[in-house]
Amino acid sequence: MKHHASDTHTLAAAYALGALEPGEREEFEAHLRACEACRQEAAEFGATAARLATAVAQPPPASSKERVMAAVDGVRQLPPHVPAAPAARSFAGTLRRTALPLALAAAVAAAVLGGVTVWQARHGQELEQRARRAQQQLDAVSAVLAAPDARTVHGRTGNGALATVVASQRQDKAVFTAGNLPAPGTGRTYQLWLAHDGTMLPAGLIQGDGTVVLTGSPAGATAVGLTLEPAGGSPRPTTAPLLLLNLPA
């Protein structure tokens, strides 16, 4: 990813996603030491990427611990250390050093994989669908954040949440991220909007903290809005905007 010196401030997203070349990464890390705004943006983008990764993470089966502990009980302990001749010591020492880790690793792998296999057989299809959706979302968000022309604006909603919008003309997409957004309440949802010539067009839903790619093209839009709407969303805003954030030029 090549850039001009004046574009350094736009590399926070690419840095958080590990998309910079080694030389550019070193240059940007030097820039971070003197730029508080970029440090904050890089931290926010890193947190966003972590939340997206968490979406596909799955807890291990509840039986894994019992299986591992049962397997460990069956692993032989190392014998007492007995001085050996120099020539034999190297081979014997190597054997002792590798025997237990290999045996323990095999036992742990057998126990964990056995439990995971049963668990995946029961939930494989659901897990695959969730992983596919999360991966698609991650790919879409990453494409916007790492775009060379990505531009970022920050704001705060009327109920105190921090919001970030990243827009890319090249990708023709915009990403919205919210932090500390209160739960919308039963039967309610947060809805995003794109302002076009004074008209608010629906741009997707968000339940709370998280990151979404706005539906619809941001081309020609002047701002991103956020309102609290009935569950399922509305064709037009029914409440005053909690946020109206001007899109970056």
Side-chain angles (χ1 to χ4, degrees):
M1 178 182 294
K2 302 300 182 183
H3 67 282
H4 301 290
S6 60
D7 296 331
T8 301
H9 293 278
T10 69
L11 298 180
Y15 173 79
L17 293 171
L20 296 180
E21 297 175 359
E24 290 176 321
R25 185 177 184 85
E26 292 178 3
E27 178 182 343
F28 188 73
E29 287 176 342
H31 171 75
L32 284 179
R33 290 192 284 271
C35 183
E36 182 178 355
C38 284
R39 287 199 301 271
Q40 179 180 349
E41 281 196 10
E44 290 174 351
F45 285 130
T48 296
R51 285 197 295 268
L52 289 170
T54 301
V56 298
Q58 296 293 330
S63 61
S64 291
K65 181 177 180 181
E66 295 179 1
R67 290 174 177 269
V68 171
M69 297 307 297
V72 168
D73 290 339
V75 176
R76 295 180 59 187
Q77 295 183 353
L78 287 172
H81 175 71
V82 177
R89 182 176 303 165
S90 176
F91 175 77
T94 300
L95 184 60
R96 285 195 299 271
R97 285 194 299 270
T98 58
L100 182 57
L102 287 175
L104 183 56
V108 170
V112 173
L113 290 177
V116 169
T117 299
V118 174
W119 185 76
Q120 286 182 334
R122 297 174 181 173
H123 305 280
Q125 185 175 1
E126 177 186 355
L127 180 61
E128 182 180 353
Q129 293 174 348
R130 291 178 58 187
R132 186 182 300 112
R133 289 194 298 269
Q135 185 62 54
Q136 290 172 347
Q137 182 185 12
L138 179 58
D139 290 344
V141 170
S142 298
V144 176
L145 300 187
D149 66 335
R151 296 294 182 267
T152 306
V153 290
H154 301 286
R156 189 179 291 275
T157 67
N159 52 10
L162 295 175
T164 298
V165 174
V166 183
S168 166
Q169 290 185 353
R170 180 176 298 184
Q171 295 291 326
D172 195 27
K173 294 289 185 182
V175 169
F176 178 87
T177 297
N180 299 321
L181 194 62
T186 304
R188 309 285 283 174
T189 187
Y190 291 105
Q191 186 163 358
L192 294 160
W193 307 88
L194 284 168
H196 287 270
D197 299 325
T199 300
M200 303 296 284
L201 301 181
L205 306 176
I206 185 169
Q207 287 299 315
D209 287 359
T211 298
V212 296
V213 177
L214 274 64
T215 58
S217 169
T222 57
V224 172
L226 180 72
T227 62
L228 190 60
E229 301 293 334
S234 305
R236 294 288 183 270
T238 63
T239 62
L242 295 169
L243 172 76
L244 195 60
L245 193 60
N246 291 332
L247 281 169

